[in-house]
Amino acid sequence: MINQQQLWDAEAAKHYDTPGEGMFAPEVIGSTVEVLAELAGAGRAVEFAIGTGRVAIPLSEAGVPVSGVELSHAMISRLREKVTEDQIPVVQGDMTEAVAGEGFSLAILVFNTIANLLTQDEQVRCFQNAARHLAPGGRFVIELWVPQLRSLPPGHGGTVEMSRPGYLLVDTYDVLNQQVVSHHVRFGAELSEGREARIGRTPHRYIWPSELDLMARLAGFELESRWADWDRSEFTAESRSHVSVYRVAQDHRRMTCHLAGGP
């Protein structure tokens, strides 16, 4: 079993932020926060796997009260270098069961993080926990990549997903168990002298959109919207990722709380 605390340790937290680049690029953050702020309306938001605050901090600055759930002590420590507990309260714990409150209008799980849960059962329980946090009519927003199994050459179990100066990403697949391991290879000027490369590995359980929708239904959600990206572009068979917005109806809440182990 993977120890997520060891996976997301102080070293991972130290190198997680890439200001101005990648998922920290202003255009990425800007469009993400714009959509989430609109969906939250006048209500509060809770972010599962809040990490170092990439989304939570600008969303809070946009006027949306944000709370968080985060398993990694190291990621919370990095977040606390930026904001206080009063500004963004965080509960340390597993996003399948930790509770940061209730009555939120929006629950958020971005950048493929639901795939960090390595079994279908855990992923279903994450949906149930999101429902537990939400007020009737509240929304759960998930950002997730689409498995690129069509890119696998016959007889090969891996694909190169990204190649740029100083960084290489290779994904290896176990298609029988819907498991993928991302191999992050960093090299070049960012490394200390004498070190040729640094390799990190992160395991995931990939989820097809239709399977994700069934998980949502089990927790009392209905799919409200699905886009290819935060710009609300159309989701098609060629899309490599999606932003899915689920909504829980008032008459589903009692059933959802019961399934999640609540009163």
Side-chain angles (χ1 to χ4, degrees):
M1 181 176 293
I2 298 296
N3 187 321
Q4 295 288 342
Q5 283 285 9
Q6 293 179 352
L7 186 63
W8 301 104
D9 59 7
E11 184 70 12
K14 177 182 177 182
H15 294 281
Y16 188 79
D17 292 6
T18 56
E21 299 179 354
M23 63 178 174
F24 285 84
E27 61 272 18
V28 175
I29 297 293
S31 58
T32 303
V33 169
E34 180 181 356
V35 171
L36 294 176
E38 179 181 326
L39 292 174
R44 300 174 297 131
V46 57
E47 183 176 3
F48 288 3
I50 195 171
T52 65
R54 179 183 72 94
V55 169
I57 293 174
L59 184 60
S60 175
E61 291 171 345
V64 179
V66 181
S67 298
V69 172
E70 173 59 51
L71 180 64
S72 167
H73 294 288
M75 300 292 266
I76 295 174
S77 294
R78 179 75 181 100
L79 173 65
R80 287 291 163 250
E81 295 174 11
K82 307 174 187 180
V83 292
T84 67
E85 176 73 14
D86 288 339
Q87 292 173 298
I88 299 180
V90 176
V91 173
Q92 192 278 324
D94 191 316
M95 60 183 167
T96 66
E97 59 186 11
V99 178
E102 59 181 21
F104 293 94
S105 64
L106 186 67
I108 306 163
L109 187 52
V110 295
F111 206 70
N112 307 323
T113 310
I114 192 171
N116 288 358
L117 301 172
L118 300 181
T119 69
Q120 186 183 70
D121 181 64
E122 288 177 311
Q123 291 166 349
V124 170
R125 286 193 286 118
C126 181
F127 269 97
Q128 293 170 342
N129 196 29
R132 183 188 299 177
H133 282 77
L134 291 170
R139 295 180 173 95
F140 186 25
V141 180
I142 293 181
E143 179 186 18
L144 187 61
W145 97 101
V146 177
Q148 297 299 305
L149 299 190
R150 289 183 299 177
S151 300
L152 286 175
H156 294 266
T159 60
V160 176
E161 292 297 313
M162 186 178 299
S163 178
R164 65 172 186 252
Y167 179 71
L168 181 68
L169 172 61
V170 177
D171 283 347
T172 55
Y173 286 84
D174 172 0
V175 295
L176 181 62
N177 297 299
Q178 288 185 218
Q179 300 288 321
V180 58
V181 177
S182 295
H183 307 262
H184 309 270
V185 184
R186 293 178 172 85
F187 51 92
E190 71 174 69
L191 299 180
S192 57
E193 185 176 352
R195 187 169 185 175
E196 294 183 356
R198 183 177 69 247
I199 301 176
R201 296 179 177 87
T202 53
H204 314 277
R205 181 186 185 272
Y206 60 82
I207 317 168
W208 298 105
S210 57
E211 183 187 8
L212 196 74
D213 293 348
L214 181 56
M215 292 180 182
R217 289 178 61 190
L218 291 173
F221 287 99
E222 296 176 343
L223 180 66
E224 182 176 75
S225 303
R226 172 168 288 140
W227 311 300
D229 207 341
W230 294 101
D231 61 4
R232 306 186 198 232
S233 53
E234 182 184 3
F235 179 76
T236 71
E238 303 305 316
S239 299
R240 295 179 65 91
S241 63
H242 58 94
V243 175
S244 296
V245 182
Y246 297 98
R247 192 159 192 166
V248 60
Q250 183 172 357
D251 58 352
H252 288 151
R253 178 161 170 75
R254 183 178 298 274
M255 177 190 70
T256 301
C257 286
H258 176 71
L259 288 171

